[in-house]
């Protein structure tokens, strides 16, 4: 990865009739970067990807790839290639012909095509399957063929539309690692659309989270996890308890707030907009809460409540604690390694939280 | 039946051999019923031009008229006399120059006079074949002395008779049955009587036949015991050894039809070639061939002398003169009457 | 224009235009001419182009037209009813009771790859006086005299047409049965329906679109058929299309033929709409 | 999953129905071997002469050639129009789509004699004389609904991203159509060609009205049926046609099944 921008998208907008699919979409991608567009279905992420690929015109804004404006360049002339969600393996061609499909348009020699196809297939570990028919391939193999077919074109940017969603869980996890390794080896920019937060987090250098046609937050996975910018992003990445809070003191950086149930705490907030008396929404990750039958020691805020539900997840146990002064039960995740905690429904428990675990999600009026 | 098959096989063999014949011969186009492409009918033409003309088929004279009036072009067509007045009115055909016909004098005089062959003193058709439409009946089921056209209305034969699905044939039958003075120009009362007769026999009609085979098979199987049909059907039955014959008593009623070739206004080939064909068709040899192989009567009087006399006996053409005297000819009906016939016949068939 | 062709609507219209224009022209053109002819008059061999209602008055006042029209609709209705009723169990069988669906579909379509005329002719061989049926019955001694009610009547027309239209009924009904979610049937059983109730309350209402499609595909062309009635209809089986055929053929009265065609189309359309409306309403009333 | 046949009567009914469907069709081949011109039981001897006689019948063979020409052109034109229309219906949302779809299906439901007679009037008024061309024009009209519905089901299974993939890999619009769309919907195209060909090949009413001096086979058969002596020849020809149709449509079915498999 270097610091050169390969894709520069500025204020792009796409409408279908009266429906606005993508609005005010701006994004710069670096060469060799693995970028994921993450969001729920219907959020416009696939539309955004298809606008980069050239399958969809945009109504406003600009898309530049490699410094060149793409508005008048059709999909077949763009330096991008795509791995389709369905893989779009040509059913009438065998594996080798599928991979060679685009090369045949480049006026290469037979020998050259042969070498490049063989190389591409070796790269995705399908060497020797050239004469297989499309309907004789497993899901994972189809995915690899689609990958090889796109990569053999040596695109500047590889676009992937939910490339792993059709695979089962184990295969998906294997492919995640493989694709990440391949991308790092080739140094090509990958832009992947996914609705799977774990996939996005494990594979990407950066993630862009989209909701309702808007790019809400673009950052490294760990930052998005630790500091989601608003309730929507927070709710889409990992589990999160949402609590109301109110500013009780002014000042730069760290401030005093009164968090629903937990009482007075001092947290990091945005100093420019937060003033005394503002109603805030804050979030606490379930795994960052401590739970105990007795009041745990060394925490900044405490709350006492009743266990309303217990959910067993194998590697962890989730408790839902109903406390006076809170609307919804607060979820607490406890690792299951020693079976040290064992609360039952109706038990009275204490929860403890550190100041650093409280995430400022912005003023409350603007969110639901 | 054997004869026809042999003739057909011979004809088709000839056709196949002639497929390399001069294109000139085939340039002459003839609008005809299927079957008349038999080369035995116009041997002289083949001899002179080295091949057969090209044929286009129609299923009925009415269909032919519609197509011609719609602009369909050919050199010769093969209608029957009853249609001719309309064809002339529609300006479809040219008069025939009888001086160019080498066989004109040899043609049966009675036939040359038929209204339709000549209209208003002009000759429009070269008559080719003629035959009878009459009552064909199963001799083993109806005694010869009991048969009559009027018997068709008898309750005894309910569901046992067949009538052609054509207004002109049906009214000819009715005119004979009711003794109308003229078939071509019936008075209102005569028309009414004829219609009433058709209504009366409608109760007995098993079906109105639209193809001759339907009548033949029904007679052969005994499904119907009598039917108004062509002499061709009688022959078919004879060949299939079915005890049936046509009632040939002119006093009891029999009709004669005459068909022939007309020179179309849309013709594109030279008169010479057209008349070569007309002469070939009306030649004695053609007549002999059609009488012996097809069992149809021909217009050339000489043909009856040279043809196999025993066959002529079988076919019932022996006494041509007396036959023509008493028989009803299918002359061209007046337009007004034709419209009334068509309309009334549809109602009768529907049971009105 | 170039911009328009790049849009979804533009591409769709451009691609479908040849087909719809072709059909549109060939439907609109003839219909227009038919309408024009219906206001003209035939005078022997010429057409009088003075506009007149005379043909319509004749068609409306002539009891023959009404009679043939009603008989045509009755025969077509009987054909439709017979065909659909006979076809439904077959479609049901293929959809629910056999694994070899393609084989069965093939089996029911193969007979219809022969010439229609020859098939109609075959029926005459079967139903005729000395036909297969009578021969078999006579040989086995079931009857002494050949049956005459088999051929040359409405029954023969209905039977022949019910045979001819069989695949056109089976296929749409099969498709609609195939679309019925099997879970719905299990749900109906679960909610206490017997097999018969389940069929009447779930399967049948869900397949009404298929039944309507099959009925229209059969009913409308049947009203216009004249070949079958003229071959097997005998003296009682004639239909309105035979009368129309006579106008265009022997009678050479195209204006009246055009008028009768339009009247027939209007009647057929009216009956078809009535049928669709009542069937849909009946389907909705099933609870 | 094995379906237990709870109602064996349904199977019995199905078999009875098949007998009803096949009875008239199987009579044709049966009597085409009968050594006699009257088609009735009891049959006479066995003969092949009706088949042998076919070869010499030039007009009949010409009618067959005419029908083949009409059928082939009709199939090609109807399938091409159907291909584009079906693609538009399946793939694009546009104003008037329902109207257009309904319109294209109209020929299925307009009585044949009315279509035939009014088309004759139209063609004549346009200066088109009855000929094989007018028959083809009429048959395309009649075959279009079949072509459109078959092609629609072919495109229903068609994954649009296949075209996008080809385009994405640098192919042009036309190249994509040729290298991807066409080969993939080829089984549908073949099925459509065969079905529209069969529709045209068996069509009588329109051909009867619209044909000029070149009759199609059904028109010829119609005129043959009127001549009892020629009937066995017609039966022989009909049997051969039946055999040919079966072969043709089995091929179509084979291709159709292949297309469903690969989709």
């Amino acid at each position: 990865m270097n610091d050169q921008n390969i894709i520069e998208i500025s204020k792009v907008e796409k409408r279908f009739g009266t429906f606005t699919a993508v609005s005010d979409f701006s994004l710069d991608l670096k060469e060799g970067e693995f970028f994921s567009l993450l969001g729920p279905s219907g959020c416009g992420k696939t539309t955004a990807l298809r606008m980069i690929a050239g399958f969809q015109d945009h109504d406003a804004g600009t898309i530049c790839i490699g410094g060149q404006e793409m508005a008048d360049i059709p999909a077949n002339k763009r330096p991008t290639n795509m791995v389709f969600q369905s893989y779009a393996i040509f059913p009438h061609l065998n594996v080798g012909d599928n991979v060679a499909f685009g090369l045949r348009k480049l006026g290469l020699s037979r020998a050259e095509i042969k070498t490049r196809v063989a190389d591409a297939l070796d790269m995705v570990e399908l060497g020797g399957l050239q004469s297989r028919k499309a309907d004789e391939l497993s899901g994972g193999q189809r995915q690899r063929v689609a990958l090889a077919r796109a990569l053999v074109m040596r695109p500047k940017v590889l676009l992937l539309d939910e490339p792993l969603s059709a695979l089962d869980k184990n295969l998906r996890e294997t492919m995640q690692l493989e694709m990440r390794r391949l991308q790092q080896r080739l140094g090509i920019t990958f832009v992947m659309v996914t609705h799977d937060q774990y996939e996005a987090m494990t594979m990407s250098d950066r993630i862009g989270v989209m909701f309702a046609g808007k790019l809400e937050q673009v950052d490294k996975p760990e930052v998005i996890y630790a500091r989601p910018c608003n309730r929507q992003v927070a709710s889409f990445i990992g589990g999160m308890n949402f609590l109301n809070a109110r500013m009780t003191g002014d000042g730069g950086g760290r401030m005093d707030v009164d968090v629903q149930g937990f009482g007075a705490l001092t947290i990091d907030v945005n100093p420019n907009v937060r003033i005394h008396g503002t109603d805030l929404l804050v979030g606490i990750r379930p795994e960052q809460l401590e739970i105990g039958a007795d009041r745990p020691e060394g925490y900044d805020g405490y709350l006492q409540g009743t266990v309303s539900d217990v959910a067993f997840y194998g590697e962890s146990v989730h408790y839902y604690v109903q406390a006076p002064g809170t609307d919804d039960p607060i979820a607490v995740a406890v690792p299951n390694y020693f079976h040290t905690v064992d609360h039952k429904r109706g038990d009275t428990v204490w929860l403890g939280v550190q100041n650093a675990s409280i995430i400022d999600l912005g003023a409350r009026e603007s969110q639901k | 039946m054997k004869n026809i098959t042999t003739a057909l096989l011979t004809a088709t063999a000839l056709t196949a051999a002639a497929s390399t014949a001069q294109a000139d011969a085939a340039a002459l186009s003839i609008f005809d019923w299927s079957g008349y492409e038999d080369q035995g009918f116009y041997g002289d033409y083949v001899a002179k031009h080295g091949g057969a003309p090209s044929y286009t088929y129609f299923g009925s004279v009415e269909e032919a008229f519609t197509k011609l009036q719609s602009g369909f072009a050919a050199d010769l067509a093969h209608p029957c006399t009853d249609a001719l007045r309309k064809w002339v009115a529609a300006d479809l055909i040219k008069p025939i120059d009888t001086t160019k016909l080498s066989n004109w004098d040899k043609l049966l005089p009675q036939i040359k006079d038929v209204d339709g062959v000549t209209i208003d003193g002009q000759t429009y058709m070269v008559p080719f074949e003629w035959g009878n439409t009459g009552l064909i009946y199963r001799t083993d089921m109806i005694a010869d002395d009991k048969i009559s056209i009027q018997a068709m209305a008898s309750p005894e034969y309910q569901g046992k008779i067949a009538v052609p699905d054509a207004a002109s044939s049906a009214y000819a039958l009715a005119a004979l049955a009711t003794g109308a003075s003229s078939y071509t120009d019936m008075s209102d009362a005569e028309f009414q009587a004829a219609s009433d007769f058709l209504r009366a026999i409608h109760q007995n009609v098993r079906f109105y036949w639209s193809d001759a085979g339907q009548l033949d098979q029904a007679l052969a199987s005994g499904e119907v015991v009598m039917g108004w049909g062509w002499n061709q059907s009688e022959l078919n039955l004879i060949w299939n050894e079915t005890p049936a014959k046509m009632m040939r008593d002119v006093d009891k009623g029999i009709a004669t039809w005459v068909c022939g070739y007309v020179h179309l206004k849309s013709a594109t080939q030279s008169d010479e070639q057209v008349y070569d064909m007309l002469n070939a068709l009306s030649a004695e040899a053609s007549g002999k061939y059609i009488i012996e192989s097809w069992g149809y009567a021909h217009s050339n009087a000489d043909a009856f002398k040279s043809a196999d006399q025993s066959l002529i006996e079988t076919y019932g053409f022996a006494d041509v003169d007396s036959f023509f005297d008493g028989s009803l000819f299918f002359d061209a009906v007046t337009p007004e009457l034709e419209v009334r016939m068509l309309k009334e016949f549809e109602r009768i068939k529907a049971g009105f | 224009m170039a911009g328009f062709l790049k849009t979804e609507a533009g591409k769709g219209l451009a691609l479908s235009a040849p087909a719809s224009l072709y059909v549109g022209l060939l439907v609109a053109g003839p219909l227009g001419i038919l309408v024009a002819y219906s206001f003209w008059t035939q005078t022997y061999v010429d057409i009088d182009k003075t506009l007149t209602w005379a043909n319509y008055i004749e068609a409306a006042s002539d009891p023959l037209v009404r009679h043939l029209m009603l008989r045509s609709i009755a025969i077509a209705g009987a054909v439709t009813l017979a065909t659909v009723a006979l076809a439904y169990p077959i479609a049901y069988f293929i959809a629910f009771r056999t694994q070899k669906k393609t084989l069965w579909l093939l089996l029911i379509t193969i007979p219809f790859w022969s010439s229609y005329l020859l098939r109609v002719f075959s029926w005459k061989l079967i139903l005729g006086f000395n036909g297969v049926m009578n021969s078999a019955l006579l040989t086995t001694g079931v009857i002494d005299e050949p049956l005459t009610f088999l051929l040359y009547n409405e029954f023969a027309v209905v039977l022949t047409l019910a045979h001819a239209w069989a695949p056109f009924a089976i296929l749409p009904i099969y498709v609609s049965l195939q679309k019925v979610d099997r879970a719905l049937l299990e749900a109906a059983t679960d909610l206490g329906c017997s097999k018969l109730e389940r069929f009447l309350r779930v399967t049948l209402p869900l397949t009404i679109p298929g039944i309507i499609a099959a009925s229209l595909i059969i009913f409308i062309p049947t009203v216009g058929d004249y070949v079958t009635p003229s071959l097997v209809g005998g003296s009682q089986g004639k239909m309105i299309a035979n009368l129309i055929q006579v106008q265009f053929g022997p009678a050479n009265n195209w204006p009246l033929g055009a008028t009768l065609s339009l009247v027939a189309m209007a009647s057929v359309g009216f009956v078809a709409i009535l049928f669709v409306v009542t069937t849909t309403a009946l389907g909705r009333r099933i609870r | 999953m094995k379906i237990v046949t709870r109602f064996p009567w349904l199977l019995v009914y199905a078999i009875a129905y098949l007998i009803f469907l096949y009875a008239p069709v199987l009579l044709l081949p049966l009597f085409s071997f009968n050594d006699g011109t009257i088609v009735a039981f009891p049959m006479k001897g066995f003969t092949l002469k009706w088949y042998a006689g076919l070869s010499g019948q030039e007009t009949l063979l010409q009618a067959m050639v005419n029908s083949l020409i009409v059928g082939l052109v009709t199939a090609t034109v109807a399938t091409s129009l159907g291909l584009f229309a079906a693609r538009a219906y399946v793939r694009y949302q546009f104003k008037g789509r329902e109207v257009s779809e309904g319109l294209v299906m109209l020929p299925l439901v307009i009585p044949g004699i009315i279509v035939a007679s009014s088309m004759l009037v139209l063609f004549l008024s346009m200066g088109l004389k009855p000929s094989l061309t007018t028959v083809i024009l009429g048959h395309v009209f009649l075959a279009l609904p079949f072509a459109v519905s078959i092609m629609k089901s072919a495109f229903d299974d068609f994954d649009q991203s296949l075209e996008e993939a080809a385009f994405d890999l640098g192919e042009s619009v036309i190249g994509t159509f040729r290298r991807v769309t066409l080969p993939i919907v080829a089984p549908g195209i073949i099925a459509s060609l065969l079905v529209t060909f069969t529709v045209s090949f068996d069509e009588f009413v329109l051909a009867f009205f619209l044909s000029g001096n070149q009759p199609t086979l059904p028109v010829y058969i119609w005129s043959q049926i009127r001549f009892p002596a020629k009937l066995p020849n017609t039966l022989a020809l009909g049997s051969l046609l039946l055999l040919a149709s079966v072969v043709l449509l089995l091929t179509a079915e084979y291709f159709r099944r292949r297309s469903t498999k690969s989709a």
Side-chain angles (χ1 to χ4, degrees), chain D residues 184-239:
Chain D
I184 293 174
V185 297
I189 292 175
I190 290 171
S192 162
L193 283 174
L194 289 174
V195 168
T196 48
F197 178 84
T198 314
V199 166
S200 160
F201 204 69
D202 192 28
E203 203 283 334
F204 166 68
V205 177
L206 269 176
F208 184 72
F209 270 80
L210 298 177
S211 65
N213 56 355
Q214 296 148 294
T216 63
L217 201 53
V219 174
Y220 192 82
I221 290 178
W222 175 248
S223 75
Q224 289 248 303
I225 269 182
R226 306 165 82 100
F227 294 93
K230 291 184 177 181
L231 186 60
N233 265 336
T234 311
L235 291 181
L237 182 73
S239 307

Side-chain angles (χ1 to χ4, degrees), chain C residues 11 36 42 64 73 78 80 102 125 135 144 150 171 185 187 205 212 225 237 242 258 276 285:
Chain C
K11 283 179 192 161
Q42 185 88 37
L64 174 68
I73 287 171
T80 309
T102 323
L125 298 182
S135 305
D144 306 321
L150 294 174
L171 291 175
L185 303 182
I212 290 179
D225 189 12
N242 295 92
V276 173
R285 284 189 56 188

Side-chain angles (χ1 to χ4, degrees), chain A residues 22-289:
Chain A
V22 173
S23 64
D24 196 20
F25 189 97
S26 297
L27 181 66
D28 291 340
L29 297 181
K30 306 246 179 302
E31 265 181 24
E33 185 176 21
F34 197 127
F35 184 83
S36 290
L37 269 176
L38 176 66
S41 48
C43 72
K45 57 188 191 299
T46 296
T47 306
L49 191 77
R50 290 169 63 83
M51 284 193 288
I52 300 173
F55 292 125
Q56 216 105 60
D57 299 332
H58 48 280
D59 299 320
T62 55
I63 297 174
C64 291
I65 302 176
Q68 197 186 1
E69 161 72 49
M70 286 287 130
D72 295 323
I73 299 181
N76 55 347
K77 301 278 193 289
R78 293 194 185 187
T80 59
N81 283 109
M82 187 142 163
V83 173
F84 290 83
Q85 187 174 8
S86 63
Y87 305 142
I89 306 296
F90 301 128
H92 58 302
L93 303 177
N94 64 24
V95 168
D97 288 332
N98 259 283
V99 177
F101 189 95
L103 295 178
R104 299 239 156 92
K105 279 298 280 185
L106 298 179
L108 304 174
S109 71
R110 255 163 203 271
E112 165 114 43
I113 292 178
K114 209 175 155 190
T115 333
R116 276 175 72 169
V117 168
D119 289 350
L121 285 174
D122 283 342
M123 187 171 67
V124 296
E125 294 169 12
L126 284 181
L129 293 187
Q130 284 189 328
S131 50
R132 279 279 176 93
K133 293 286 278 184
D135 56 2
E136 295 164 354
L137 297 173
S138 70
Q141 286 170 330
R142 295 170 76 89
Q143 203 270 342
R144 286 165 203 253
V145 173
L147 203 56
R149 188 177 67 182
L151 287 173
V152 79
M153 301 299 290
R154 296 179 184 159
K156 287 186 182 160
V157 178
L158 183 72
L159 306 169
L160 305 106
D161 187 4
E162 305 260 6
L164 302 172
S165 62
L167 306 180
D168 64 52
K169 189 166 175 286
N170 288 335
L171 189 55
R172 195 158 67 222
E173 283 166 2
T174 317
M175 288 306 298
Q176 283 169 3
L177 291 173
E178 263 187 46
M179 276 172 60
R180 177 62 175 152
R181 247 182 268 134
L182 192 62
Q183 186 266 337
Q184 284 174 338
R185 207 177 83 212
L186 296 171
I188 294 175
T189 307
F190 276 35
V191 181
M192 179 173 79
V193 155
T194 181
H195 64 269
D196 183 334
Q197 47 164 312
Y198 298 109
E199 191 170 291
M201 285 192 280
T202 48
M203 296 172 78
S204 319
D205 294 315
R206 281 196 303 158
I207 294 174
V209 186
M210 276 187 86
F211 283 97
K214 283 208 171 62
L215 201 50
E216 297 284 354
Q217 190 173 9
V218 179
D219 219 319
K220 291 182 180 128
E222 53 271 30
V223 175
I224 290 194
Y225 186 81
R227 293 281 159 215
C229 69
N230 59 30
R231 179 177 184 148
Q232 281 178 312
V233 175
S235 64
F236 202 72
I237 306 256
M240 185 70 88
N241 292 301
F242 296 103
L243 293 165
N244 294 331
R246 172 174 290 226
M247 306 275 295
T248 54
D250 301 314
R254 295 182 69 77
M255 272 178 238
D256 293 335
V257 294
D258 184 47
V259 178
Q260 195 180 17
F262 286 96
L265 293 165
T266 306
I267 63 165
D268 287 329
V269 292
N270 185 336
N272 301 324
V273 290
R274 309 285 181 249
I275 49 161
H276 178 82
T278 311
D279 284 329
L280 279 187
L281 186 74
V282 298
I284 308 171
R285 299 266 178 213
E287 64 270 25
Q288 298 193 346
L289 283 163

Side-chain angles (χ1 to χ4, degrees), chain D:
Chain D
M1 182 184 67
K2 174 100 179 113
I3 293 176
V4 183
T5 311
R6 277 153 295 184
F7 305 134
W9 59 263
L10 208 50
L11 180 68
V12 172
Y13 175 82
I15 290 165
Y17 194 84
L18 275 192
I19 293 170
F20 163 68
L21 289 186
Y22 275 84
V25 178
L26 293 181
L27 272 181
L28 299 178
L30 189 65
F31 277 96
S32 69
F33 296 113
N34 184 30
D35 190 8
T37 53
I38 289 209
V39 183
F41 286 108
M43 289 170 55
K44 294 183 177 169
F46 175 87
T47 180
L48 286 172
K49 67 179 172 191
W50 308 120
Y51 287 90
L54 280 180
S55 61
Q57 309 234 358
E58 215 172 72
T59 35
L60 177 132
L61 297 177
Q62 187 55 49
M64 175 122 78
V65 170
N66 290 340
S67 269
L68 282 173
I69 293 170
V70 170
L72 287 176
V73 179
T74 300
T76 315
V77 176
T79 301
S80 316
L81 290 175
L83 173 72
F84 293 123
R87 189 186 147 90
Y89 299 147
V90 173
R91 175 142 171 208
Y92 301 111
Q93 288 294 327
F94 57 96
K95 224 179 237 165
R97 186 170 62 94
E98 275 95 358
V99 176
S100 173
E101 274 195 76
L103 194 65
V104 170
M105 291 296 150
L106 260 185
L108 269 189
V109 294
I110 301 184
I113 188 179
I114 291 171
V115 174
S117 57
S118 51
M119 249 186 216
L120 179 62
V121 176
L122 177 77
F123 290 148
L124 289 176
S125 71
M126 284 163 60
L128 273 177
K129 288 185 181 156
S131 64
L132 288 190
T133 313
T134 49
V135 178
I136 289 167
L137 286 171
H139 279 184
V140 167
F141 176 80
L142 211 62
L144 208 50
F146 294 92
V148 168
S149 45
I150 290 171
M151 290 317 298
K152 254 171 79 180
S153 63
F155 276 113
D156 266 340
D157 297 339
F158 186 83
D159 181 0
Q160 201 192 310
S161 55
L162 289 171
E163 281 180 354
E164 289 180 350
F167 198 55
D168 184 64
L169 291 167
E171 242 329 333
S172 62
V173 174
I174 293 166
T176 299
F177 186 74
R178 189 177 59 79
R179 287 181 71 192
V180 175
T181 318
L182 225 45
I184 293 174
V185 297
I189 292 175
I190 290 171
S192 162
L193 283 174
L194 289 174
V195 168
T196 48
F197 178 84
T198 314
V199 166
S200 160
F201 204 69
D202 192 28
E203 203 283 334
F204 166 68
V205 177
L206 269 176
F208 184 72
F209 270 80
L210 298 177
S211 65
N213 56 355
Q214 296 148 294
T216 63
L217 201 53
V219 174
Y220 192 82
I221 290 178
W222 175 248
S223 75
Q224 289 248 303
I225 269 182
R226 306 165 82 100
F227 294 93
K230 291 184 177 181
L231 186 60
N233 265 336
T234 311
L235 291 181
L237 182 73
S239 307
L240 286 182
L241 282 180
L242 183 68
L243 190 69
S245 319
V246 170
V247 171
L248 265 173
L249 277 125
L250 282 178
T251 320
E253 182 62 18
Y254 169 75
F255 277 107
R256 197 192 60 74
R257 287 177 74 170
R258 243 185 47 172
S259 81
T260 1
K261 245 188 223 164
S262 57

Side-chain angles (χ1 to χ4, degrees), chain C residues 12-116:
Chain C
L13 274 178
L15 280 175
S16 63
S20 40
L21 275 181
Y22 188 83
V23 173
L25 273 180
L26 286 193
V27 166
L31 276 184
I33 289 169
L34 221 48
V35 170
Y37 257 101
S38 71
F39 289 105
W40 295 339
T41 344
Q42 185 88 37
T43 49
Y44 197 35
V45 293
D46 297 312
I47 295 287
D48 176 1
K49 292 192 177 174
T50 321
L51 297 185
T52 167
W53 287 99
N55 293 314
Y56 286 95
I57 293 166
E58 185 175 347
S61 59
D62 192 340
L64 174 68
V65 174
R66 209 172 312 135
H67 174 76
L68 286 182
M69 198 67 235
L70 289 176
R71 179 196 271 170
S72 300
I73 287 171
I75 287 182
V79 169
T80 309
L81 193 69
T83 315
V84 170
L86 285 173
Y88 201 102
I90 286 293
Y92 188 88
F93 172 80
I94 299 171
F96 290 109
R97 291 274 183 273
T98 177
Q99 296 288 291
K100 295 170 181 160
K101 297 182 198 303
T102 323
L103 176 74
W104 273 93
L105 289 177
L106 214 62
L107 274 176
I108 57 153
T109 35
I110 281 177
F112 301 93
W113 300 338
S114 62
S115 170
Y116 173 66

